[in-house]
Amino acid sequence: VLGCLHTVSDLVGDVSIFLAAYIPIMAGVLLAAGRTASATAYNTLMFLGCEGAALIIRSAVIPAAGILLALGVTGAVAGNEHLLRLGKTMRRTASWTLGLVLILFIGMMTLQTSVAAASDTVASKSAKYLLGSLIPVVGSSVSEAVMAARGCLDLIRASVGALGILAVAAIFLLPLLRILAWYCVFCAGSFLCELLDDRALRILMDSFASGFGLLLSALTAFAAVSAACTGLLLATGGGA
């Protein structure tokens, strides 16, 4: 059980290292494709969102999960259900807070990405018009060649973005499945203890289920933040 807490901490560190290398690459591809506003928005939002999520998980969620486990052990030994209710209140408060922060971040990210994509589209069409108008004779050919090159870079952008999302999914998959399995085990144990009328073990299982449920919620939110920004960029960045 304690190994899962260390696994979550290590996972957060690994994801932070991966994103620190991946975000500049993706931003560079966007800049090369002439999507300056999208590159700026992506670089800023991804760094703020992912580093903020990593900081919250390391400094708040993992200690809170440890407290829930400790409350479970103490409540089981003392036979005190007040500790169990305290732990459930902590978990609900933390889960609602995580959900609210995630909704606000994704909303802000959607708005910023849409505005950046629209700005890049206007800039692209303006550049195409200027090239076709200001360069005599071959202006239209030059503008079409520039747009063709940009289309190739957009294909690279889509490929790099898809690889980034797949990499994030691969990093999160096994730890999430492991924590989900433990959560299901503790929920099933709590149900069996309820049937057997074993009060002490039920308190222990409920508290452990609350702790692992909190970890599961936090990692799911972190994975969503890590992948959603790139996904939104690919979905809204297909304009000319």
Side-chain angles (χ1 to χ4, degrees):
V1 172
L2 293 178
C4 282
L5 296 180
H6 294 297
T7 299
V8 171
S9 181
D10 293 340
L11 172 66
V12 171
D14 292 341
V15 173
S16 296
I17 292 172
F18 169 75
L19 291 176
Y22 172 76
I23 292 172
I25 294 174
M26 188 64 180
V29 172
L30 290 170
L31 284 173
R35 300 185 182 275
T36 307
S38 293
T40 303
Y42 180 80
N43 191 64
T44 303
L45 288 174
M46 280 291 283
F47 268 119
L48 288 178
C50 295
E51 290 301 319
L55 179 62
I56 290 172
I57 291 175
R58 276 195 295 254
S59 61
V61 174
I62 293 177
I67 291 172
L68 289 175
L69 300 183
L71 286 175
V73 174
T74 306
V77 172
N80 188 348
E81 292 204 13
H82 293 295
L83 295 177
L84 175 60
R85 286 194 287 272
L86 175 61
K88 287 184 176 180
T89 302
M90 286 178 58
R91 183 203 165 183
R92 281 195 294 268
T93 302
S95 297
W96 277 101
T97 303
L98 282 172
L100 179 61
V101 171
L102 181 62
I103 290 172
L104 290 175
F105 178 77
I106 290 182
M108 180 182 68
M109 183 170 57
T110 302
L111 178 62
Q112 185 68 31
T113 304
S114 300
V115 171
S119 175
D120 287 334
T121 299
V122 172
S124 172
K125 290 182 176 179
S126 299
K128 181 179 179 180
Y129 173 77
L130 289 174
L131 285 172
S133 301
L134 298 179
I135 300 178
V137 183
V138 295
S140 60
S141 299
V142 171
S143 64
E144 290 300 326
V146 170
M147 291 300 106
R150 190 185 186 208
C152 295
L153 289 170
D154 279 339
L155 179 61
I156 296 174
R157 169 185 63 87
S159 301
V160 172
L163 286 174
I165 293 174
L166 290 175
V168 168
I171 293 172
F172 275 101
L173 181 61
L174 289 180
L176 277 175
L177 289 177
R178 181 181 177 188
I179 293 173
L180 178 61
W182 275 108
Y183 177 72
C184 292
V185 166
F186 290 129
C187 288
S190 175
F191 177 72
L192 290 176
C193 291
E194 183 74 26
L195 292 179
L196 297 173
D197 197 24
D198 192 329
R199 185 163 166 264
L201 272 180
R202 181 179 61 81
I203 292 173
L204 182 65
M205 292 294 167
D206 280 344
S207 296
F208 275 36
S210 294
F212 276 79
L214 179 59
L215 289 177
L216 189 62
S217 300
L219 285 185
T220 303
F222 191 17
V225 169
S226 301
C229 199
T230 301
L232 279 171
L233 183 71
L234 297 181
T236 60

